[in-house]
Coordinates of all heavy atoms in Angstrom, one line a residue:
L1 N 10.6 -10.2 1.8 CA 11.3 -10.2 3.1 C 10.3 -10.4 4.2 O 9.3 -9.6 4.3 CB 12.0 -8.9 3.3 CG 12.9 -8.7 4.5 CD1 14.1 -9.7 4.5 CD2 13.3 -7.3 4.7
P2 N 10.3 -11.4 5.0 CA 9.3 -11.6 6.0 C 9.4 -10.5 7.1 O 10.4 -10.0 7.4 CB 9.6 -13.0 6.6 CG 11.1 -13.1 6.4 CD 11.4 -12.4 5.1
V3 N 8.2 -10.1 7.6 CA 8.1 -9.2 8.8 C 8.2 -10.1 10.0 O 7.5 -11.0 10.2 CB 6.8 -8.4 8.8 CG1 6.7 -7.6 10.0 CG2 6.7 -7.6 7.5
V4 N 9.2 -9.8 10.9 CA 9.5 -10.6 12.0 C 9.1 -9.9 13.3 O 9.4 -8.7 13.5 CB 11.0 -11.0 12.1 CG1 11.3 -11.8 13.3 CG2 11.4 -11.7 10.8
M5 N 8.4 -10.6 14.2 CA 8.1 -10.1 15.5 C 8.6 -11.1 16.6 O 9.0 -12.2 16.2 CB 6.5 -10.0 15.7 CG 5.8 -9.2 14.7 SD 4.1 -9.0 15.1 CE 3.5 -10.7 15.1
R6 N 8.8 -10.6 17.8 CA 9.2 -11.5 18.9 C 8.1 -11.5 19.9 O 7.7 -10.4 20.4 CB 10.5 -11.1 19.5 CG 11.6 -11.3 18.5 CD 13.0 -11.1 19.1 NE 14.1 -11.4 18.1 CZ 14.5 -12.6 17.8 NH1 14.1 -13.6 18.4 NH2 15.5 -12.7 16.9
T7 N 7.6 -12.6 20.3 CA 6.6 -12.8 21.3 C 7.1 -13.7 22.4 O 7.4 -14.8 22.2 CB 5.3 -13.4 20.7 OG1 4.9 -12.5 19.7 CG2 4.2 -13.4 21.8
N8 N 7.2 -13.1 23.7 CA 7.7 -13.9 24.8 C 9.1 -14.5 24.5 O 9.4 -15.7 24.8 CB 6.8 -15.0 25.2 CG 5.4 -14.5 25.7 OD1 5.4 -13.4 26.3 ND2 4.3 -15.2 25.5
G9 N 9.9 -13.8 23.8 CA 11.3 -14.3 23.5 C 11.3 -15.2 22.3 O 12.4 -15.6 21.8
R10 N 10.2 -15.6 21.7 CA 10.2 -16.5 20.6 C 10.0 -15.8 19.3 O 9.3 -14.8 19.2 CB 9.1 -17.6 20.7 CG 9.4 -18.5 21.9 CD 8.2 -19.6 22.0 NE 6.9 -18.9 22.2 CZ 5.8 -19.6 22.2 NH1 5.8 -20.9 21.9 NH2 4.6 -18.9 22.4
R11 N 10.7 -16.2 18.2 CA 10.7 -15.6 16.9 C 9.4 -16.0 16.2 O 9.2 -17.2 16.1 CB 11.9 -15.9 16.1 CG 12.1 -15.2 14.8 CD 13.4 -15.6 14.2 NE 13.7 -14.9 12.9 CZ 13.3 -15.4 11.7 NH1 12.6 -16.6 11.7 NH2 13.6 -14.8 10.6
V12 N 8.6 -15.1 15.7 CA 7.4 -15.4 15.0 C 7.4 -14.6 13.7 O 7.7 -13.4 13.7 CB 6.1 -14.9 15.9 CG1 4.9 -15.2 15.1 CG2 6.2 -15.6 17.2
V13 N 7.0 -15.3 12.6 CA 6.9 -14.7 11.3 C 5.4 -14.3 11.2 O 4.5 -15.2 11.2 CB 7.3 -15.6 10.2 CG1 7.1 -14.9 8.8 CG2 8.8 -15.9 10.3
R14 N 5.1 -13.1 11.0 CA 3.7 -12.6 10.9 C 3.1 -13.0 9.6 O 3.7 -12.7 8.5 CB 3.7 -11.1 11.1 CG 2.3 -10.5 11.2 CD 2.2 -9.2 11.8 NE 3.0 -8.2 11.1 CZ 3.4 -7.0 11.6 NH1 2.9 -6.7 12.8 NH2 4.1 -6.2 10.8
A15 N 2.0 -13.6 9.6 CA 1.3 -13.9 8.4 C 0.8 -12.7 7.7 O 0.4 -11.7 8.3 CB 0.1 -14.9 8.7
T16 N 0.8 -12.7 6.3 CA 0.3 -11.5 5.6 C -0.6 -12.1 4.5 O -0.7 -13.2 4.2 CB 1.4 -10.8 4.9 OG1 2.2 -11.6 4.0 CG2 2.4 -10.2 6.0
R17 N -1.3 -11.1 3.8 CA -2.2 -11.4 2.7 C -1.5 -10.9 1.4 O -0.7 -9.9 1.5 CB -3.6 -10.8 2.9 CG -3.6 -9.3 2.8 CD -5.0 -8.8 3.3 NE -5.2 -7.4 3.0 CZ -4.7 -6.4 3.6 NH1 -3.9 -6.6 4.6 NH2 -4.9 -5.1 3.2
E18 N -1.9 -11.5 0.3 CA -1.3 -11.1 -1.0 C -2.3 -10.2 -1.8 O -3.5 -10.6 -1.8 CB -0.9 -12.3 -1.8 CG 0.3 -13.1 -1.2 CD 0.7 -14.2 -2.1 OE1 0.2 -14.3 -3.2 OE2 1.6 -15.0 -1.7
V19 N -1.8 -9.1 -2.3 CA -2.7 -8.2 -3.0 C -2.0 -7.8 -4.3 O -0.8 -7.6 -4.3 CB -2.9 -6.9 -2.2 CG1 -3.9 -5.9 -3.0 CG2 -3.5 -7.2 -0.8
T20 N -2.8 -7.7 -5.4 CA -2.2 -7.3 -6.7 C -2.9 -6.0 -7.1 O -4.1 -5.9 -7.1 CB -2.4 -8.4 -7.8 OG1 -1.8 -9.6 -7.3 CG2 -1.9 -7.9 -9.1
V21 N -2.1 -5.0 -7.6 CA -2.6 -3.8 -8.2 C -2.1 -3.8 -9.6 O -0.9 -4.0 -9.9 CB -2.0 -2.5 -7.5 CG1 -2.2 -1.3 -8.3 CG2 -2.7 -2.4 -6.1
T22 N -3.1 -3.7 -10.5 CA -2.8 -3.7 -12.0 C -3.1 -2.3 -12.6 O -4.1 -1.7 -12.3 CB -3.7 -4.7 -12.7 OG1 -3.5 -6.0 -12.0 CG2 -3.3 -4.8 -14.1
V23 N -2.1 -1.8 -13.4 CA -2.2 -0.5 -14.0 C -2.7 -0.8 -15.5 O -2.1 -1.5 -16.2 CB -0.9 0.2 -14.0 CG1 -1.0 1.6 -14.8 CG2 -0.4 0.5 -12.6
N24 N -3.8 -0.1 -15.9 CA -4.3 -0.3 -17.2 C -4.2 1.1 -17.9 O -5.1 2.0 -17.7 CB -5.8 -0.8 -17.2 CG -6.3 -0.9 -18.6 OD1 -5.6 -0.8 -19.6 ND2 -7.6 -1.1 -18.7
R25 N -3.2 1.3 -18.8 CA -3.0 2.6 -19.4 C -4.0 2.8 -20.6 O -4.1 3.9 -21.1 CB -1.6 2.7 -20.0 CG -0.6 2.7 -18.8 CD 0.9 2.7 -19.4 NE 1.8 2.6 -18.3 CZ 2.2 3.7 -17.6 NH1 1.8 4.9 -17.9 NH2 3.1 3.5 -16.6
G26 N -4.7 1.7 -20.9 CA -5.7 1.9 -22.0 C -7.0 2.6 -21.6 O -7.7 3.0 -22.5
R27 N -7.2 2.8 -20.3 CA -8.4 3.5 -19.8 C -7.9 4.7 -19.1 O -7.2 4.6 -18.0 CB -9.3 2.6 -19.0 CG -10.0 1.5 -19.7 CD -11.1 1.0 -18.9 NE -12.2 1.9 -18.9 CZ -13.3 1.8 -18.0 NH1 -13.3 0.8 -17.1 NH2 -14.2 2.7 -18.0
K28 N -8.4 5.9 -19.5 CA -8.0 7.2 -18.9 C -9.2 8.0 -18.5 O -10.2 7.9 -19.2 CB -7.0 8.0 -19.8 CG -5.7 7.3 -20.1 CD -4.8 8.1 -20.9 CE -3.5 7.3 -21.2 NZ -2.5 8.1 -22.0
F29 N -9.1 8.8 -17.5 CA -10.2 9.5 -17.0 C -9.9 11.0 -16.8 O -9.3 11.6 -17.8 CB -10.6 8.9 -15.6 CG -11.0 7.4 -15.7 CD1 -10.0 6.5 -15.5 CD2 -12.2 7.0 -16.0 CE1 -10.3 5.1 -15.6 CE2 -12.6 5.7 -16.1 CZ -11.6 4.7 -15.9
Q30 N -10.2 11.6 -15.7 CA -10.0 13.1 -15.6 C -8.6 13.5 -15.4 O -7.7 12.7 -15.0 CB -10.9 13.6 -14.4 CG -10.2 13.5 -13.0 CD -10.5 12.1 -12.4 OE1 -10.8 11.2 -13.0 NE2 -10.3 12.1 -11.0
R31 N -8.4 14.8 -15.8 CA -7.0 15.4 -15.6 C -7.1 16.3 -14.3 O -8.0 17.0 -14.1 CB -6.7 16.2 -16.8 CG -5.2 16.6 -16.9 CD -4.9 17.4 -18.1 NE -5.1 16.6 -19.3 CZ -4.1 15.8 -19.9 NH1 -3.0 15.6 -19.2 NH2 -4.4 15.2 -21.0
V32 N -6.1 16.2 -13.5 CA -6.0 16.9 -12.2 C -5.4 18.3 -12.4 O -4.4 18.4 -13.1 CB -5.3 16.0 -11.2 CG1 -4.9 16.9 -10.0 CG2 -6.1 14.8 -10.8
V33 N -6.0 19.3 -11.8 CA -5.5 20.6 -11.7 C -4.5 20.8 -10.5 O -3.5 21.4 -10.7 CB -6.6 21.7 -11.7 CG1 -6.0 23.1 -11.5 CG2 -7.5 21.5 -12.9
G34 N -4.9 20.2 -9.4 CA -4.0 20.3 -8.2 C -4.7 20.2 -6.9 O -5.8 19.8 -6.8
F35 N -3.9 20.6 -5.9 CA -4.3 20.5 -4.5 C -3.9 21.8 -3.7 O -3.0 22.5 -4.1 CB -3.6 19.3 -3.8 CG -4.0 18.0 -4.4 CD1 -3.3 17.5 -5.6 CD2 -5.0 17.2 -3.9 CE1 -3.6 16.3 -6.1 CE2 -5.3 16.0 -4.5 CZ -4.6 15.5 -5.6
G36 N -4.6 22.0 -2.6 CA -4.3 23.2 -1.9 C -5.1 23.3 -0.6 O -5.7 22.4 -0.1
G37 N -5.0 24.5 0.0 CA -5.7 24.8 1.3 C -6.2 26.2 1.3 O -6.0 27.0 0.4
A38 N -7.0 26.6 2.4 CA -7.6 27.9 2.5 C -6.8 28.8 3.3 O -6.3 28.4 4.4 CB -9.0 27.7 3.0
F39 N -6.7 30.1 2.9 CA -6.0 31.1 3.6 C -7.0 32.1 4.2 O -7.4 33.1 3.6 CB -5.1 31.9 2.6 CG -3.9 32.5 3.2 CD1 -2.6 32.0 3.0 CD2 -4.0 33.6 4.1 CE1 -1.5 32.6 3.6 CE2 -2.9 34.2 4.6 CZ -1.6 33.7 4.4
T40 N -7.5 31.7 5.4 CA -8.6 32.5 6.0 C -8.0 33.6 6.9 O -6.8 33.7 7.1 CB -9.4 31.6 6.9 OG1 -8.6 31.0 7.9 CG2 -10.0 30.4 6.0

């Protein structure tokens, strides 16, 4: 779906770049314990 902008009343389709993210389940790394903050 194109992202549409209007400039000076004229319709403009904003150019974008294409990116690919690939998931490789064959390589695994560390296990996460969690996230948090400090109670000072």
